[in-house]
Amino acid sequence: MKCYPVPRENLVLSIDNLKDDIPEEYLSHKECYENVIRKGSVLYDIFSELSKDRKHKAHQAPSNAYRISDGIMQNVNPFLLHFALFVPAITNQATPEQQAEFLKHGFGIIGTYAQTELGHGTFLRGLETTATLDLETDEFVLNSPTLTSYKWWPGGLGHTANHCVVMAQLYVKGKCHGPHLFFVQIRDIETHEPLPGLKLGEIGAKMGFNTADNGFLGFHNFRIPRNNMLMKNSQVLKDGTYVESKNEKLTYGSMVFVRVYLLSDMAYMLARAATISVRYSAVRHQSHIKPDEPEVQILDFVIQQHKLFISIATSHAFKICGLWLWQTYSKVMEDIGKGSMDRLPELHALSCCLKTTSTRDAGWLIEQCRLACGGHGYLMSSNLPSLYTTATAAITYEGESTVLLLQTARYLIKSWKRAMEGESLPATVSFLSEYFNKRYNKWENTPKGIVDGLKLVVAGVTKMCAESIQKHVSRGQQYEEAWNSSSVQLIKASEAYSRALLCEVFWFEVDKVSSTLSNNLAVVLKQLAELYITYWALEKRGDLLVYTTISKDDLDKLQERYEELLALIRPNAVGLVDSFDIRDEILCSTLGAYDGRVYERMMEHALKSPLNAETVNQSFHKYMKPVILKHKI
Ligand SMILES: CCCCC/C=C\C/C=C\C/C=C\C/C=C\CCCC(=O)SCCNC(=O)CCNC(=O)[C@H](O)C(C)(C)COP(=O)(O)OP(=O)(O)OC[C@H]1O[C@@H](n2cnc3c(N)ncnc32)[C@H](O)[C@@H]1OP(=O)(O)O
Ligand SMILES: Cc1cc2nc3c(=O)[nH]c(=O)nc-3n(C[C@H](O)[C@H](O)[C@H](O)COP(=O)(O)OP(=O)(O)OC[C@H]3O[C@@H](n4cnc5c(N)ncnc54)[C@H](O)[C@@H]3O)c2cc1C
């Protein structure tokens, strides 16, 4: 076995045929895909070797290990779904024997997670793909009965994967048992040809993610062994007996894994955007502050600091909360392994709202970083446009944001009702029980005071939702209708909950570790945490005025403190993004390179445009010249 020296970054980045002669943005859709498969296969080979001595762990904590691919495949790695969902679905949903069987080829197979269909993405109970047990042959027969039942969107499905985990409606003896997962080979390992009975292809160009190879898949009487249903949670026995799962939602467990993961993922996306835009803002001189002095670094404009420092702070907030959420996830998975499902609803609710807030915030903050770089931020060579289109896809995939926030709202309303009945609540929602006692507490202009205030907003809005639902029901609506009528407020309750969680976890985790840090580091981290909390207190001042005793004077003082924090962070701003320690080869940005040679890099990159290969493009002679000459007076 070849032994690769570590660290992986040096190894990977030293491989010549992983570099592009022509920037990706100048390749065709097809060339882009072929190029990314070329590079991805080299990486796949390296990681396969490196991972040989490591068993597939059911759940790997968020790490930056797979981040090297972001530099090599600036768009998206078509093998990502293999690691992000295919393997976790098998390790999370298959029996140990099935895992041994399905994963025996290790990296010899490439998989994806095929759940979404042309007609259904959110409403999983409405999925149309069927898996019908054939008792005689001990097989399942997979079918796509309608066009809308075609699997549509799974990453890597078009041309990359040769296996997938398929979510299909399970039918046994004429009875439907709802969505279940199945291990399915879709291409021949040797020839890569689609297997008979399948229709496979790629879904076409997208706003971004164009190397993810999102595909479609239709089944026509496609047979798989009965044992290919992932049977850790529910089983179908040889005689057709269906054994129910202890909780049917365990089937949805792989989605929870990725939602939890995405918080850390967004921390990293934001770290890259912040590094690019802050470094550029330190290099770019434009305009004056004092008329009689030279043009200033645009980073000296306080409004530029206001645009950018929140991204530095948010990246840390997501990283710290991502680790906190990962610990919760690991604990709940451990409990489930011991047969206790008690905390699954709480984990689902937390992962839904935190995935939504982190992906939405990453989207608009990356866009804010781009806009803060002026025209040069609009260049593909800045890498900010690609970061934006990649990050914003996550607002939709793995659970569309509106839908997930409504799931969290379900949990908040249930928790509110339990609180009103005097029941004890999990720590993450116990503040709901204290609402009436704390509603009129004197406002404190401290990070803890703000966190308490944001929690009062959550409780107040949740109370308002519960009352709204009750009002609609009393006017004759069914509960589900009343829920729909109140959904604007329900979304607000979940958003407020997510923000309060992020502020609380960020502040208290930083506060907890600060005594273990060097004084300077503790001071700067606390400044970032306080900036984050104060920023959101000011953004949510309306809600705080309604649900807490905060005064105009308190808000004025918060605004003053916020501007003080910007000034305190300014001297460390470049150091803070340098500490994200993202190498140029992974940052892939003419504006954000460590050496600050922005203009030289921009020109070097521009000259790589195929259009600059000649001084006069052939279109002049073919098209323009005849018209110019014809109309020449
Ligand atoms: C080298 C290692 C690398 C590892 C890298 C890892 C990650 C990398 C990071 C980022 C990149 C990752 C991936 C790459 C890019 C793209 C991947 C995208 C993949 C996909 O895009 S993949 C498809 C995702 N597609 C969805 O996300 C569908 C959303 N739609 C649903 O999720 C459901 O459809 C729902 C919930 C809307 C309605 O479902 P429903 O109608 O059946 O339920 P309903 O509302 O009626 O009831 C609700 C009751 O179910 C409980 N409940 C529901 N869901 C639960 C769950 N998950 N867990 C536990 N409990 C759950 C509730 O708590 C409640 O409980 P209660 O009743 O007690 O309130
Ligand atoms: C880049 C990308 C990669 C993807 N990769 C994969 C993959 O690898 N595997 C896979 O299986 N899927 C994948 N998906 C699909 C993704 O999971 C779905 O797009 C997502 O779940 C949303 O479903 P939908 O697109 O059908 O939208 P719909 O469910 O049709 O929702 C459309 C809109 O309707 C509204 N809506 C829907 N339901 C409700 C409700 N109950 N209450 C209120 N409003 C509602 C929402 O506003 C929503 O935005 C990917 C998608 C993208 C964009």
Side-chain angles (χ1 to χ4, degrees), residues 358-414:
S358 59
T359 51
R360 281 179 169 181
D361 284 1
W364 70 266
L365 284 169
I366 292 171
E367 179 63 352
Q368 186 158 284
C369 288
R370 178 184 74 78
L371 292 168
C373 296
H376 300 346
Y378 197 66
L379 283 169
M380 291 304 285
S381 72
S382 74
N383 200 20
L384 288 165
S386 294
L387 279 174
Y388 174 75
T389 54
T390 305
T392 47
I395 301 173
T396 305
Y397 71 58
E398 215 55 77
E400 194 281 326
S401 61
T402 314
V403 164
L404 295 189
L405 286 175
L406 288 170
Q407 287 293 303
T408 300
R410 252 179 108 108
Y411 180 71
L412 288 174
I413 293 296
K414 284 182 182 234

Side-chain angles (χ1 to χ4, degrees), residues 81 113 115-116 121-122 153-155 209 214 396-397 400 402-403 406:
L81 262 293
Y113 182 84
Q115 171 176 294
T116 304
T122 291
W153 273 112
F209 247 70
N214 301 93
T396 305
Y397 71 58
E400 194 281 326
T402 314
V403 164
L406 288 170

